[in-house]
Amino acid sequence: MENGAAKPVIVAIDGPSGTGKSSTSKAVAAQLGLSYLDTGAQYRAITWWMVNNGIDTDDPSAVAAVTGKPEIVSGTDPKSPTITVDGVDVAGPIREQDVTSKVSAVSAVPEVRTRITELQRTIASAAVTGIVVEGRDIGTTVLPGADLKIFLTASPEARAARRSGELKGADLNTTREALIKRDAADSGRKTSPLAKAGDAVEVDTTELTLQQVVECVVTLVEEKRAGK
């Protein structure tokens, strides 16, 4: 710790949806004074752009051909993260069903992953105090050299319950089926699938409150920073 300044700490938080990744990542970043990046939002943003521009998201070559066009900018303040595409605030629209149903197909296109991965690495390397990056392939592909890698899991039932809580009035079984289907697509894709890094710490959030998960991760980061 020369000059009293800690070196930037990079934390990768991966796992399937409904495990509490976003809530945990934002809270940890805010508590530790780190930047925050939701990589899923970036894949949703490029998917939103494709849908909005009439690109056939089931045609990988059509998607690949225009991957470089949208300008995606992520604001990394954990208290109010933002995302814009070509200057338009898309934080709301990217969560809608038409985007959600197509994001796995778009995310599986290698050119899309290359572009978004480069964007993520640029943002992470520019974070002065460090950053919490959440996604599905951060610890394995995007930032394999991250100081700390966390892999969040939870039972499909718990995840579906959390997700349908977020998606007001969603049917639990439908939500559960959709989650399992999306996990299978993301785990099975050829380019940087959803996977747990060998050196990641797995945290099962099924029985834990958000506060407990946050405390657990904050402790892990602080131990890492202290060089334990």
Side-chain angles (χ1 to χ4, degrees), residues 4-92:
K7 76 177 182 64
V9 62
I10 293 183
V11 183
I13 300 188
D14 290 304
S17 44
T19 50
K21 260 191 328 212
S22 293
S23 314
T24 300
S25 302
K26 275 185 269 203
V28 168
Q31 207 168 313
L32 293 170
L34 305 175
S35 296
Y36 158 76
L37 179 61
D38 174 358
T39 65
Q42 295 177 314
Y43 283 105
R44 285 173 172 274
I46 201 165
T47 303
W48 174 86
W49 186 91
M50 299 279 171
V51 171
N52 243 31
N53 284 277
I55 308 298
D56 179 0
T57 54
D58 289 324
D59 178 353
S61 58
V63 169
V66 292
T67 295
K69 287 192 169 177
E71 189 197 359
I72 299 166
V73 177
S74 296
T76 58
D77 175 357
K79 294 186 183 72
S80 58
T82 56
I83 184 145
T84 62
V85 179
D86 297 335
V88 179
D89 174 4
V90 293

Side-chain angles (χ1 to χ4, degrees), residues 128-171:
V128 183
T129 53
I131 191 165
V132 177
V133 183
E134 62 136 311
R136 281 155 131 76
D137 67 335
I138 310 306
T140 50
T141 303
V142 181
L143 300 166
D147 299 297
L148 177 65
K149 300 174 189 179
I150 307 277
F151 194 84
L152 296 184
T153 60
S155 71
E157 289 69 27
R159 292 168 44 217
R162 288 171 192 164
R163 261 289 129 111
S164 41
E166 289 168 19
L167 308 161
K168 308 285 177 278
D171 168 11

